[in-house]
Amino acid sequence: MTTVDATWARPRLRAAVVLGPGQWRGEKLVHHVKDGETGWYYRVGPREHFLLSRMDGTRTLDDLAAEYAATYRRRLGPENWQQLFGMLHRRQLLADATDPETIAHLTASAAEGAAKARRGPLSARWPLFDPDRLFNRLLPRLGPLFSWWFVLPALLAVLAVTGYVAVHLPDLIKGVGGGHRPLAAIVAAVVTTWAIVFLHECAHGLTCRHFGGRVTEIGVMWRFPLLAPYCKVDDIVLFTPRRRVATAFAGVFVSMLALVPFAAIRIWVGPGALRDLAGTMLLFGTATAALNLVPFLRLDGYHMLSHALNLADLRADTYRFWGRLLRGGPAAVAGYRRRDRLIYTGYGVASAVFAVTVLTLLVRFWYVSLAGWLGSGWAVAVLLAEALLLLGFAGYLARRRSAAGGDASAAGTATNQAGSARPSRQ
């Protein structure tokens, strides 16, 4: 029997293929499958995952069919196997049954898709370097930092800093708002802030690497209206929910931990430039961390909530849930789990309240400012013009996103459940 014949008789996935746990996406449970050689991430249903997880070269097709029938009370027919192995062949996921040209094409298409995802009118990414080798050198030295012996005391220190900022908030605001700041102090604050943000992103990457993932990029990201470092941790989809939450929280945790020395400086150092810098870093550092934890913005807090609930994309799925509910009523969402119906309903209502509140405050502030400069009539005219421009831009983005969604590639599956494929885009 040739190697290829043995591969099909006792199928075995390539060593670079990694299977992730299930996540809920709307009504369906999906699993991510990573091909580390080509850079592609695929989504499959639980039945496909069941079969793929058992393709280790020790089981025959009859063995797989028997285990499948015992679990799902259904036997796989020839057409099911044909669909499954057709997908495995197209994606080159089986060991000893690969074609170098197809592998090269898949690798190039994944890189091209990731490059396209970096460009957009409101966001863009510019990779600077691959940190995997650096993180591999650092992790053995930083291993103790991931133990509870360090994490628990560090959490207490972070809570102490948060309490200190809350108690002294009026003094901190007064100190930042009062007096002239020399250029050197402003530059020091900006450089220190960027250093902390860089540590924030490295914390995401190191935590991802600690849990066995690979980190492929550190760079600079433009997300309107901010420019900041980023760290790409696509492998987070392969972790358990608890590890995904820890990876998402690591950035805020390190950002707040970096404020502990500034709290000590402000407590023990007398009046002067150093104490002023410490107060500035405490105020803006804590405010930034709090903003990061708001679950209605696509920042760390949002991802932590999604991961804790084991939902693939809480906001997108909430929009989809409410769209179906408003168009078709309760019957249209009857296929969702009761737990998820409650989550999507509550998150949708809370998101709307948050958005309306923030929008009302912004419009009120901007109207008062414009009225003071131009008069109330012109202020209303400017606000209306801006609203029309924003609506037009929102429509453009919606059409752009819809067109991009139509280009998503899909892979056939063996059990009539939609399996899809995508390059690294997180």
Side-chain angles (χ1 to χ4, degrees):
M1 180 182 291
T2 66
T3 301
V4 173
D5 290 337
T7 296
W8 295 105
R10 295 179 181 271
R12 176 170 60 90
L13 299 181
R14 287 193 288 108
V17 177
V18 182
L19 307 179
Q23 289 179 277
W24 285 93
R25 191 172 188 88
E27 299 171 280
K28 296 179 179 179
L29 183 67
V30 299
H31 295 259
H32 285 86
V33 179
K34 176 192 176 183
D35 183 353
E37 184 173 351
T38 64
W40 274 85
Y41 290 75
Y42 306 100
R43 286 191 296 266
V44 299
R47 300 189 180 195
E48 292 85 358
H49 178 269
F50 178 89
L51 292 169
L52 295 181
S53 66
R54 287 158 174 76
M55 291 186 178
D56 55 6
T58 65
R59 296 174 174 86
T60 66
L61 293 186
D62 289 339
D63 295 333
L64 293 173
E67 291 185 31
Y68 185 92
T71 302
Y72 291 104
R73 306 293 187 222
R74 175 187 172 188
R75 298 200 63 83
L76 294 172
E79 69 281 359
N80 301 126
W81 289 116
Q82 184 177 4
Q83 290 175 6
L84 177 63
F85 280 101
M87 182 272 287
L88 294 173
H89 176 69
R90 286 193 301 274
R91 300 304 176 187
Q92 300 287 289
L93 298 181
L94 286 176
D96 302 321
T98 57
D99 174 57
E101 291 186 6
T102 306
I103 290 285
H105 174 72
L106 287 170
T107 303
S109 62
E112 182 182 357
K116 287 181 179 179
R118 298 189 188 110
R119 301 188 296 268
L122 294 180
S123 64
R125 294 183 179 187
W126 297 277
L128 297 179
F129 67 97
D130 183 341
D132 200 57
R133 185 177 299 176
L134 172 63
F135 287 170
N136 283 340
R137 288 201 301 266
L138 289 176
L139 268 179
R141 299 178 175 88
L142 300 179
L145 301 184
F146 293 94
S147 70
W148 285 110
W149 294 105
F150 172 80
V151 171
L152 284 179
L155 279 173
L156 293 176
V158 166
L159 292 175
V161 169
T162 305
Y164 176 83
V165 171
V167 171
H168 295 86
L169 187 58
D171 291 339
L172 291 170
I173 295 175
K174 183 179 179 181
V176 170
H180 173 70
R181 292 262 187 262
L183 179 61
I186 296 174
V187 171
V190 172
V191 171
T192 305
T193 299
W194 266 75
I196 292 177
V197 173
F198 181 75
L199 290 176
H200 173 117
E201 297 303 326
C202 286
H204 289 308
L206 284 166
T207 307
C208 177
R209 194 71 190 89
H210 172 72
F211 290 136
R214 188 175 184 275
V215 183
T216 57
E217 282 180 16
I218 281 185
V220 177
M221 176 179 64
W222 159 254
R223 181 177 289 177
F224 180 81
L226 301 175
L227 187 69
Y230 77 90
C231 184
K232 194 173 184 182
V233 289
D234 283 356
D235 280 2
I236 195 172
V237 298
L238 306 175
F239 300 162
T240 62
R242 181 178 297 180
R243 291 185 172 186
R244 293 199 300 267
V245 172
T247 304
F249 178 61
V252 174
F253 178 52
V254 168
S255 294
M256 288 299 297
L257 198 59
L259 299 179
V260 172
F262 295 106
I265 290 171
R266 195 172 188 280
I267 291 171
W268 290 314
V269 174
L274 187 58
R275 192 172 191 271
D276 289 343
L277 174 63
T280 300
M281 295 308 304
L282 284 173
L283 181 63
F284 288 104
T286 305
T288 301
L291 186 67
N292 246 301
L293 292 176
V294 174
F296 307 113
L297 307 174
R298 291 187 71 89
L299 299 173
D300 294 339
Y302 165 79
H303 293 296
M304 288 169 60
L305 180 60
S306 291
H307 297 322
L309 297 172
N310 201 29
L311 301 176
D313 193 338
L314 176 58
R315 187 165 74 174
D317 291 337
T318 296
Y319 290 162
R320 192 175 297 111
F321 171 86
W322 275 94
R324 294 179 62 174
L325 179 64
L326 294 175
R327 287 192 302 268
V333 295
Y336 287 80
R337 296 184 301 168
R338 182 176 182 274
R339 163 190 179 270
D340 293 344
R341 289 199 298 270
L342 293 174
I343 290 171
Y344 293 138
T345 299
Y347 185 80
V349 172
S351 297
V353 171
F354 175 80
V356 169
T357 301
V358 171
L359 183 61
T360 301
L361 293 174
L362 287 175
V363 169
R364 182 180 182 280
F365 171 78
W366 190 225
Y367 170 78
V368 171
S369 300
L370 287 173
W373 300 334
L374 306 173
S376 59
W378 280 108
V380 172
V382 170
L383 286 173
L384 288 175
E386 290 176 340
L388 291 174
L389 286 173
L390 288 174
L391 287 173
F393 189 59
Y396 164 76
L397 289 179
R399 291 192 298 272
R400 181 186 177 95
R401 188 175 294 120
S402 177
D407 294 334
S409 58
T413 60
T415 55
N416 297 323
Q417 295 189 12
S420 64
R422 62 175 179 83
S424 304
R425 294 185 182 180
Q426 293 188 11

